[in-house]
């Protein structure tokens, strides 16, 4: 059988020096592909102690059989089924398959969703699959704790990420009718869980009203349709909703969750929540005031990062693998106005994205603190970095007189004084 010439050309001697981009693509693509296969096929099918899909499968089977769904005992630490009736209806097809087949298809759909999210994210930033950015992004995504845990625990977050990226894509492409599609995309995530609900503030601030209508209508319609089909819908209100709004002290990286776990006084927990809430508000104001019209892509994705991180920190629940919703924000590193082109930001990113375990066998107390607090510290440090970078730019622009007319599109670009910090 003849070997394709395109394959042979990869092994022939070079007639000219390879460019840096060619070398990087050659190195990154095989590593990225094997990492994807390893996470989605090997680790995910092996599973782990935590099984987020188990409660989902039990719920959709009970839904099919007409049995009670919202009857769990929340005193146990095991994963619980917290999706509303609309989410149960949306996931109902998985209840018509054997458990193993259902789980493997769930992993497959989430893996494909993450890959599609990466592709649309590349297109949002004007990169092609032929660029170095493609394998670099895929490798970066599949080497994080958030993507790995999503697949290994068999969680729905891969599909949530895809809908988030589509939400941004349709809001930013300049086509008014696509705002309806953006609302549908984020509305589908709200049928399952409210993780991305804070992002609705962005089309509201940007006066993209069309996106808000389906964002509210889609989860409402799914829940109205599912309500009479679920045998115990009121138990969701009586039992599940109070648990959702409670604060658990396990698998919870929010300020309140870790504060309760380590026994901090409530006044200190409240103070920390207020401080980081104010940092987020300050950052959002600076972004809205000076970037919304001058750099819409940077404004929307950076604001999304601030909104989500503040939600993870300040509300009752912030789980580590929620960090995968920050990939659109992290991609802003390629933009000229990026606030994360400094080593402090990437120290924060390491904290909430790394797969490294910091448990210490000889010093268990220290190791547990490093392991359980690194995500909280990472999110907290990132909010501090974003606010400081934006505020120092504001002070520089004000000192240089670039705020006088308010129309200079370059006024908030990183100044020469801070090039060594932000460049």
């Amino acid at each position: 059988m003849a070997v394709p010439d395109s394959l042979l050309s990869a092994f022939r001697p070079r007639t000219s020096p390879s460019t840096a981009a060619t070398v990087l693509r050659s190195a990154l693509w095989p590593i990225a592909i094997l990492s994807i296969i390893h996470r989605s096929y090997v680790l995910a099918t092996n599973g782990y102690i935590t099984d987020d899909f188990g409660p989902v499968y039990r719920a959709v089977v009970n839904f099919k059989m007409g049995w009670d769904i919202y009857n769990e005992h929340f005193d146990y630490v095991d994963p619980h089924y917290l999706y509303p009736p609309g989410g149960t209806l949306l996931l109902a097809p998985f209840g018509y398959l054997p458990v193993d087949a259902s789980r493997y298809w769930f992993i497959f759909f989430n893996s494909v969703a993450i890959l599609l999210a990466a592709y649309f994210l590349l297109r949002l930033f004007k990169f092609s699959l032929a660029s170095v950015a493609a394998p670099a992004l895929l490798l970066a995504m599949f080497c994080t704790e958030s993507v790995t845990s999503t697949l290994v625990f068999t969680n729905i977050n891969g599909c949530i990420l895809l809908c988030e990226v589509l939400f941004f894509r349709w809001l930013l492409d300049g086509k008014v009718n696509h705002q309806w599609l953006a609302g549908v995309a984020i509305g589908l995530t709200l049928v399952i869980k409210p993780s991305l609900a804070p992002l609705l503030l962005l089309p509201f601030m940007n006066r993209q009203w069309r996106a808000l209508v389906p964002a509210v209508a889609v989860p409402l319609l799914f829940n109205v349709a599912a309500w009479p089909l679920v045998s115990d819908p009121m138990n969701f209100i009586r039992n599940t909703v109070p648990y959702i709004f409670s604060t658990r002290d396990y698998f919870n990286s929010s300020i309140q969750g870790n504060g309760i776990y380590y026994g901090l006084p409530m006044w200190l927990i409240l103070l920390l929540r207020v401080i980081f809430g104010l940092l987020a508000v300050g950052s959002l104001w600076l972004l809205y005031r000076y970037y919304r019209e001058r750099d819409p892509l940077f404004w929307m994705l950076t604001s999304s990062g601030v909104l989500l991180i503040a939600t993870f920190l300040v509300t009752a629940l912030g789980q580590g693998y929620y960090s995968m919703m920050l990939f659109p924000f992290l991609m802003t590193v390629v933009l000229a106005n990026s606030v994360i082109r400094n080593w402090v930001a990437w120290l924060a990113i390491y904290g909430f994205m790394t797969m490294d375990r910091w448990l210490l066998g000889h010093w268990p107390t220290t190791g547990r603190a490093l392991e359980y607090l690194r995500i909280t510290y990472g999110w907290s440090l990132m909010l501090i970095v974003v606010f400081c970078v934006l505020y120092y730019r504001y002070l520089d622009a004000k000192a240089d007189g670039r705020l006088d007319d308010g129309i200079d599109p370059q006024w908030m670009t990183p100044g020469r004084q801070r090039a060594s910090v932000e460049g």
Side-chain angles (χ1 to χ4, degrees):
M1 184 177 65
V3 179
D5 187 66
S6 58
L7 180 61
L8 290 174
S9 63
F11 299 96
R12 287 175 181 150
R14 299 291 178 185
T15 57
S16 61
S18 298
T19 64
T22 300
V23 173
L24 285 173
R25 283 197 302 269
S26 300
L28 292 177
W29 267 120
I31 300 174
I33 291 171
L34 289 175
S35 295
I36 294 168
I37 295 172
H38 183 254
R39 266 59 172 187
S40 60
Y41 181 65
V42 179
L43 294 184
T45 55
N46 284 343
Y48 191 62
I49 298 172
T50 302
D51 178 17
D52 287 346
F53 183 70
V56 172
Y57 187 74
R58 183 191 70 86
V60 293
V61 168
N62 285 10
F63 176 80
K64 179 184 71 173
M65 302 300 294
W67 300 337
D68 287 354
I69 297 172
Y70 303 105
N71 55 0
E72 294 192 64
H73 298 285
F74 293 114
D75 293 333
Y76 296 101
V77 178
D78 293 335
H80 301 291
Y81 185 73
L82 305 178
Y83 301 158
T88 307
L89 177 62
L90 188 61
L91 297 173
F94 289 97
Y96 291 86
L97 296 171
V99 59
D100 287 339
S102 184
R103 183 170 181 268
Y104 296 152
W105 277 112
F106 202 78
I107 293 169
F108 172 79
F109 286 130
N110 276 278
S111 300
V112 171
I114 295 169
L115 294 175
L116 289 174
Y119 171 75
F120 288 120
L121 199 54
L122 288 168
R123 301 305 300 151
L124 190 61
F125 284 85
K126 312 300 182 187
F127 291 113
S128 69
L129 290 177
S131 67
V132 177
L137 175 61
L138 288 171
L139 178 59
M141 291 175 76
F142 279 84
C143 282
T144 61
E145 186 276 338
S146 56
V147 168
T148 303
S149 293
T150 289
L151 296 176
V152 173
F153 299 165
T154 320
N155 196 278
I156 194 68
N157 287 336
C159 296
I160 302 292
L161 175 64
L162 174 59
C163 289
E164 179 191 11
V165 174
L166 291 174
F167 171 71
F168 291 134
R169 176 184 174 87
W170 284 321
L171 284 181
L172 289 164
D173 66 4
K175 299 178 181 178
V176 174
N177 287 336
H178 284 184
Q179 294 177 24
W180 300 102
L181 296 176
V184 171
I186 198 169
L188 287 172
T189 72
L190 300 181
V191 174
I192 301 292
K193 58 172 71 173
S195 303
L196 300 184
L199 298 184
L200 293 179
L201 182 63
L202 298 177
F204 177 81
M205 296 168 69
N206 209 30
R207 302 174 182 86
Q208 293 174 299
W209 315 114
R210 293 169 183 82
L212 299 175
V213 177
V216 175
V218 169
L220 182 63
L221 290 174
F222 266 92
N223 280 289
V224 168
W227 202 263
L229 302 177
V230 174
S231 66
D232 57 342
M234 287 308 299
N235 280 347
F236 175 75
I237 303 297
R238 287 191 293 262
N239 300 332
T240 307
V241 170
Y243 177 77
I244 291 173
F245 286 101
S246 66
T247 302
R248 40 178 122 152
D249 60 357
Y250 56 91
F251 298 119
N252 187 356
S253 296
S254 69
I255 290 173
Q256 191 167 359
N258 265 326
I260 291 174
Y261 180 80
Y262 283 100
L264 295 184
M266 288 306 299
W267 68 264
L268 180 56
I269 293 174
L270 179 61
L271 178 62
L272 290 171
R273 295 171 75 188
V274 169
I275 288 172
F276 284 100
L278 291 175
L279 283 175
V281 170
S283 298
L284 289 170
W285 184 86
L286 289 169
L287 288 164
Y288 178 82
R289 175 67 178 82
Y290 299 112
Y291 287 105
R292 184 177 69 88
E293 295 180 356
R294 296 180 174 93
D295 193 345
L297 177 63
F298 168 76
W299 166 72
M300 184 166 287
L301 298 192
T302 304
S303 297
S304 76
V306 173
L307 278 169
L308 291 175
I309 292 174
T311 303
F312 302 159
L313 275 176
V314 175
T315 57
L317 178 64
Q319 293 184 290
Y321 55 20
Y322 289 178
S323 296
M324 71 184 297
M325 307 309 163
L326 301 177
F327 282 125
F329 164 55
L330 300 184
M331 271 292 289
T332 62
V333 70
V334 303
L335 300 178
N337 286 323
S338 175
V339 296
I340 57 175
R341 288 186 172 187
N342 55 79
W343 67 266
V344 186
W346 288 92
L347 177 63
I349 294 166
Y350 175 86
F352 58 75
M353 284 294 191
T354 183
M355 287 186 63
D356 293 349
R357 302 296 301 274
W358 283 79
L359 297 173
L360 296 169
H362 295 289
W363 302 277
T365 302
T366 302
R368 287 167 67 88
L370 292 171
E371 174 66 17
Y372 298 156
L373 291 171
R374 62 177 174 80
I375 295 173
T376 309
Y377 286 159
W379 288 339
S380 303
L381 183 57
M382 182 57 78
L383 280 187
I384 294 171
V385 167
V386 173
F387 177 78
C388 288
V389 170
L390 292 172
Y391 184 65
Y392 289 153
R393 286 184 191 175
Y394 168 81
L395 293 180
D396 280 352
K398 186 176 181 180
D400 294 344
R402 286 179 281 160
L403 292 178
D404 295 340
D405 56 16
I407 60 173
D408 180 6
Q410 299 299 319
W411 82 269
M412 279 285 267
T413 54
R416 284 179 293 177
Q417 287 179 300
R418 305 194 185 277
S420 62
V421 177
E422 300 177 27

